[in-house]
Amino acid sequence: MLEDPTYAVAPFDHAQADIILRSSDNIDFRVFKLFLSLPSPFFEPLFNIPQPPDETVEQEVKDGLPVISVTEDNKTLDALLRFCYPCTLADDPNLEVLNDAKDVLEAARKYSLDVIEKKARKAIVNPKILEVEPLRCFVIAHRGRLREETLLAARYTLTQPLIPSWFQEIELLTATDLLSLLTYHKKCGEAVYALKHDLSWITSHYGSLEACPWVSDQRSQRTSSSCGCLKANPPRYNLAFRLSYSSGSGPQYLPVQWWDNFMEETFTALRDKPCKETVKASAEKTVQTVKAGSCTTCSPKIAEGMRDFLDLFTRKIEETVSQIELELDF
C-alpha cells in the first residue's frame, strides 16, 4: 500500500503553485500551469479536464489545488519539469545516466516537448555514455527510431567484442536487428583486417624509408651496428619502398621485430574490435615494451614515431569503417 503523498523538493514545492502533478511513486509536484503550457500544446487541455460524469467521483484536490496523476516516476518528472522551468528557477538536469536520458526522451515525446526531446537525444549519444554502454545506447536509440543516433551508437559498438555479453536492454532487440548489428561488426572487422594485405597507405604517406627510420634499419647481420633490436626475417609486413626483404647477399632493409609484432598483434585484435581504440591500446603496449628494452636507437624515438604512425593508422581505420553500411530498418 502506498504511503501518503509527499511534496517534491524545491522549486516544485512553491506555495503559489496552481496545480499538483503526482508521480507514479506518490510524490507531489506543486507547479505552475504556465511554465508547462508554454513549451507544449499537451498540457493546456490536460489542465482543463472536465469533472468526471459520475457525480460520485470527484477530482482530487489537495491544499486547494487539483491533483493530476501521471505515469512517470518522481525522478523522471523532476528532470522533465526542470527543463520546462525558467533557468532562473531551476537548472537543467544532468542526463549522464543512460536510464535517465531514456526516460526523459519517452516522457518528452509523450507530452510533445520537442525541445526537451532534442536534449534527451543528445544525452543518449553523449560520448561519456557511448564509450561505456554503446550497446545499450544502440538499442535505446533504435527503439526510439532515432536514425542518426542509432548509426553513431553502432560505430561505438565496434569497441566491444563481436559477440556481446548480456546487457540490460538486449531483450528489446529482435533477432533480425541483432543479426544486422553482428553482420555490420563482422564486415567492419574484415574490411579493416584486409588493410594488412596492401600497405600502400603506409608507403604513400611516408614516401621513403628516411621518413620512418624507426620502422626499419639497414643490416647485414641478424642485428645491425646501429640498432640492437632483432629484425623480422622474413618480415610479415614488408613495406615496398627500399624496405623489401631480399634473399641475396647485399644489404637488406628489414622491419624491426617489435614493429612487425605490433602490426600482427594489432590486426589480429582488429578483427574482433575494428576501432581506433584497439590500435591505441596496442601502440601503448608496444611503446612501453620498446622503452623497457636496451636499444639506444629505438627507445628514444619510439614514442614520437609511433605517435605519427598511430595517427595514420587510426585515420585509415575510420575511413575504412565509414564505408561499411549498417543494414537496419527504422
Side-chain angles (χ1 to χ4, degrees):
M1 182 176 181
L2 289 176
E3 298 179 358
D4 291 337
T6 57
Y7 279 123
V9 299
F12 309 121
D13 58 353
H14 202 286
Q16 301 301 316
D18 50 15
I19 198 166
I20 293 174
L21 296 183
R22 178 169 294 163
S23 67
S24 61
D25 47 358
N26 235 27
I27 303 298
D28 286 346
F29 289 74
R30 296 175 64 97
V31 297
F32 293 90
K33 296 178 183 178
L34 179 63
F35 293 156
L36 306 185
S37 298
L38 287 177
S40 169
F42 180 93
F43 284 106
E44 187 169 357
L46 177 67
F47 295 149
N48 295 317
I49 295 176
Q51 292 289 335
D54 187 344
E55 295 181 357
T56 63
V57 179
E58 296 182 356
Q59 166 73 54
E60 182 177 357
V61 175
K62 180 178 179 180
D63 299 336
L65 302 180
V67 177
I68 296 179
S69 295
V70 297
T71 58
E72 289 71 34
D73 63 21
N74 84 89
K75 189 175 183 180
T76 302
L77 188 57
D78 182 275
L80 198 70
L81 294 174
R82 288 182 185 278
F83 277 126
C84 293
Y85 264 50
C87 60
T88 54
L89 297 178
D91 293 331
D92 283 354
N94 187 358
L95 299 180
E96 291 190 353
V97 177
L98 187 55
N99 279 341
D100 295 344
K102 174 178 69 71
D103 293 341
V104 170
L105 173 66
E106 293 174 352
R109 284 183 162 179
K110 173 182 175 181
Y111 296 117
S112 303
L113 292 161
D114 296 341
V115 173
I116 300 175
E117 179 184 344
K118 290 179 181 179
K119 293 181 179 181
R121 291 176 66 163
K122 286 184 179 180
I124 289 174
V125 290
N126 181 334
K128 291 182 179 180
I129 297 178
L130 275 175
E131 291 171 2
V132 177
E133 301 181 293
L135 285 165
R136 293 187 63 208
C137 291
F138 171 82
V139 175
I140 291 170
H142 184 242
R143 185 175 176 81
R145 302 182 303 280
L146 307 178
R147 180 179 178 83
E148 295 304 317
E149 290 81 356
T150 301
L151 296 178
L152 179 59
R155 286 285 292 271
Y156 272 80
T157 65
L158 299 178
T159 64
Q160 308 293 310
L162 173 61
I163 304 301
S165 56
W166 184 91
F167 58 96
Q168 188 173 341
E169 285 80 10
I170 194 169
E171 294 178 358
L172 299 179
L173 273 178
T174 66
T176 300
D177 293 341
L178 180 58
L179 180 61
S180 295
L181 183 62
L182 295 180
T183 300
Y184 168 75
H185 195 127
K186 189 172 186 294
K187 285 182 177 180
C188 288
E190 291 173 346
V192 170
Y193 187 76
L195 294 175
K196 68 178 291 185
H197 301 303
D198 180 4
L199 302 180
S200 59
W201 54 278
I202 301 178
T203 55
S204 63
H205 174 77
Y206 288 105
S208 68
L209 171 61
E210 288 73 19
C212 55
W214 53 275
V215 170
S216 179
D217 193 19
Q218 181 178 352
R219 68 140 198 145
S220 57
Q221 302 295 330
R222 179 63 174 167
T223 59
S224 73
S225 58
S226 62
C227 177
C229 297
L230 293 177
K231 305 302 178 289
N233 188 7
R236 289 167 293 187
Y237 296 86
N238 195 6
L239 300 179
F241 49 71
R242 295 200 311 139
L243 205 62
S244 58
Y245 170 72
S246 172
S247 59
S249 59
Q252 298 173 10
Y253 296 84
L254 298 172
V256 287
Q257 188 68 60
W258 60 256
W259 185 80
D260 202 64
N261 290 343
F262 159 75
M263 292 290 283
E264 181 66 13
E265 292 171 5
T266 302
F267 274 113
T268 299
L270 282 169
R271 299 194 80 166
D272 193 42
K273 298 180 181 179
C275 61
K276 60 184 181 182
E277 286 75 15
T278 298
V279 183
K280 289 180 180 179
S282 183
E284 290 174 1
K285 177 183 175 183
T286 298
V287 169
Q288 295 304 316
T289 299
V290 175
K291 280 186 173 182
S294 59
C295 181
T296 58
T297 300
C298 293
S299 183
K301 62 187 179 182
I302 176 65
E304 181 180 356
M306 286 296 283
R307 188 181 305 115
D308 178 68
F309 184 65
L310 177 62
D311 181 63
L312 170 65
F313 207 160
T314 55
R315 281 190 284 109
K316 189 62 178 178
I317 288 174
E318 293 288 288
E319 174 189 327
T320 302
V321 169
S322 67
Q323 298 173 11
I324 307 301
E325 182 179 354
L326 172 63
E327 298 178 358
L328 194 66
D329 294 328
F330 289 91

